[in-house]
Amino acid sequence: MTTELKKGVFWVGAVDWGLRLFHGHELSTHRGSTYNSYLIVDKKVALVDAVWGPFTAELIENIKEIIDPAKIDIVVANHSESDHSGALPEVMRLAPNATLVVSKRGAESIEGHYHRNWKYTAMKTGDKLDLGANSLVFVEAPMLHWPDSMFTYLTGHNILMPNDAFGQHYATAFRFNDEVDQAELYEEALKYYANILTPFSAQVAAKIKDVLALNLPVDIIAPSHGVIWRKDPLQIVHRYQEWAAQKPEQSAVILYGTIWQGTRRMADAIGEGFAEAGVPYKIVDVAVSDRNDAITDIFRARTVVLGSSTMNQNVVPSIHPLLGEIKGLKFKNKIGAAFGCYGWSGESVKLLEEHLTASGIPVACPGLKCKWQPSAEELEACRKFGRALADATKKPGSPS
Ligand code: FEO
């Protein structure tokens, strides 16, 4: 089923209600996703972005509802990742006269994925393609979130198609932002930003500034995932500006891995200390929690408290994937601390502190260790630790 955005501009993509893991198995998608593809019928016909390979038939069927695919003159591939390019071999087979329009880096990465002898035209920022009544204007957007990423803007209808930017993994019955649950929409938009765009926040802020400076009228922002922003479309741009600034809330997240519940009891007592000082917190048992949701919690919070029992002179294995993400996502403006139970050697707290420091998160209070199970006195020390961290959480300033 297709949806007309404006006269002659159609959504022809696919809704993937069943998707629960994305990027292989690396990103959870509790609410599915969509692969948005846009067909523009002017004197020339352009298709902007395709869909993931398994949804090729749906894309082609949607295009055929509007026009014979052989009439497509231009196929824009704003980004070469497979969720947008997987259907390209079939699209290019059915549209043998089409030129494949890419960024300079896109020429290299599309070729690297598909090894086909397609007719490429590489665009740089400000380049224009005349379609007839309206034109496509291209803006390179490197590292939002791949080197090849590009935005396409349709003049006349004032539609910005920024590919992954401003997207959400959110399968819905309707295509527009004013037709869906706003809390769900923003939960998914934030999760998308936190998990995918955080390390590129400087580029996000700079690119938004560049695009706003062009003073292009924007009636619609049509990303490549999730709903299309037609009601107050700049709301998501302003939200991205806030997220790119990485100014966390005055809150904490306590993430722990435990073996026999001692570290969990420490986590609860530390949380009580935060609450006594009036700082909201969440506790996440990393072994049984969704890693990507935990990352969203970390993105929002000022203070990241990591806990682990010691196992084999190390942290528990279940916390390793999260530690890797914390380092790779390069969070800013956070403080941290570590805690954990141990039986004999007790290395985990020191290792967690070293990891926080290596991740650019300064340690705000020296770590807390308990041998075997925490005693009543040690649980009181955990509450004190929580209160001290709460005070540090409330202090203004940016330690990193
Ligand atoms: Fe939606 Fe970077 O692919």
Side-chain angles (χ1 to χ4, degrees):
M1 195 169 99
T2 63
T3 302
E4 192 164 24
L5 276 66
K6 288 221 181 179
K7 195 160 173 44
V9 182
F10 302 89
W11 176 90
V12 290
V15 182
D16 187 351
W17 287 95
L19 188 78
R20 288 296 175 271
L21 291 168
F22 186 76
H23 281 157
H25 289 77
E26 302 308 325
L27 179 68
S28 63
T29 48
H30 307 314
R31 294 190 174 98
S33 194
T34 73
Y35 314 107
N36 297 339
S37 174
Y38 301 101
L39 186 72
I40 303 155
V41 182
D42 200 327
K43 278 195 186 117
K44 286 187 178 168
V45 177
L47 183 76
V48 179
D49 291 322
V51 300
W52 188 31
F55 290 84
T56 301
E58 284 85 341
L59 172 69
I60 302 300
E61 199 177 302
N62 284 342
I63 294 170
K64 283 181 176 169
E65 251 186 46
I66 316 282
I67 202 162
D68 175 355
K71 294 193 170 146
I72 296 173
D73 302 290
I74 293 160
V75 176
V76 178
N78 277 317
H79 171 41
S80 64
E81 201 165 3
S82 306
D83 52 323
H84 310 295
S85 66
L88 278 182
E90 183 62 1
V91 168
M92 297 306 283
R93 188 183 74 78
L94 294 173
N97 300 318
T99 298
L100 190 53
V101 171
V102 290
S103 67
K104 268 192 180 160
R105 301 295 292 272
E108 180 196 319
S109 54
I110 292 273
E111 162 64 21
H113 276 75
Y114 297 101
H115 311 288
R116 303 288 178 101
N117 196 21
W118 292 323
K119 250 192 301 177
Y120 291 100
T121 302
M123 293 291 164
K124 56 184 189 315
T125 295
D127 284 351
K128 220 175 199 191
L129 268 183
D130 186 29
L131 297 179
N134 299 312
S135 306
L136 296 176
V137 180
F138 301 93
V139 178
E140 293 161 287
M143 302 321 293
L144 263 76
H145 66 124
W146 273 21
D148 63 358
S149 299
M150 181 167 79
F151 296 176
T152 299
Y153 175 80
L154 176 63
T155 66
H157 291 308
N158 307 333
I159 301 175
L160 180 67
M161 290 165 279
N163 194 262
D164 281 332
F166 314 122
Q168 333 90 46
H169 288 305
Y170 187 26
T172 52
F174 305 107
R175 301 278 64 81
F176 295 103
N177 67 318
D178 49 295
E179 299 175 303
V180 302
D181 183 297
Q182 298 301 294
E184 285 186 357
L185 169 58
Y186 270 100
E187 196 176 305
E188 294 304 334
L190 175 61
K191 180 176 177 179
Y192 194 98
Y193 189 95
N195 281 273
I196 297 173
L197 290 164
T198 298
F200 311 116
S201 289
Q203 289 94 330
V204 170
K207 186 48 61 182
I208 288 176
K209 214 169 148 198
D210 286 355
V211 172
L212 292 178
L214 297 173
N215 273 324
L216 298 169
V218 176
D219 293 353
I220 289 178
I221 295 178
S224 58
H225 295 292
V227 297
I228 297 162
W229 304 88
R230 74 173 171 190
K231 184 176 180 192
D232 183 15
L234 291 181
Q235 64 178 286
I236 188 61
V237 176
H238 296 140
R239 207 54 89 89
Y240 262 49
Q241 285 176 311
E242 288 168 23
W243 293 337
Q246 293 203 59
K247 289 190 179 149
E249 297 169 0
Q250 270 192 14
S251 67
V253 59
I254 303 167
L255 308 114
Y256 72 91
T258 191
I259 299 173
W260 288 117
Q261 303 295 311
T263 301
R264 193 267 299 163
R265 293 175 66 217
M266 290 182 77
D268 288 345
I270 292 165
E272 286 167 18
F274 273 106
E276 282 164 18
V279 170
Y281 67 95
K282 279 190 181 177
I283 295 184
V284 178
D285 178 346
V286 296
V288 295
S289 303
D290 183 278
R291 191 176 78 243
N292 303 109
D293 292 339
I295 287 162
T296 311
D297 289 334
I298 292 171
F299 182 86
R300 294 177 63 172
R302 162 102 158 124
T303 301
V304 182
V305 191
L306 298 177
S308 174
S309 323
T310 295
M311 181 174 161
N312 297 334
Q313 299 180 293
N314 205 335
V315 295
V316 290
S318 59
I319 204 167
H320 271 294
L322 186 72
L323 296 183
E325 297 268 25
I326 289 173
K327 192 164 181 199
L329 288 169
K330 300 184 172 70
F331 293 108
K332 302 273 186 239
N333 303 327
K334 301 206 181 290
I335 55 173
F339 66 98
C341 283
Y342 69 104
W344 48 103
S345 60
E347 289 87 348
S348 64
V349 172
K350 183 169 168 283
L351 290 170
L352 290 174
E353 288 184 334
E354 285 170 2
H355 193 83
L356 284 165
T357 304
S359 305
I361 300 178
V363 173
C365 292
L368 205 55
K369 287 161 74 166
C370 290
K371 191 161 184 174
W372 307 121
Q373 290 286 335
S375 65
E377 291 74 26
E378 285 169 324
L379 288 174
E380 185 46 39
C382 289
R383 286 183 203 100
K384 192 174 165 198
F385 183 70
R387 289 193 295 273
L389 284 170
D391 289 344
T393 305
K394 289 191 235 175
K395 271 195 196 138
S398 136
S400 62

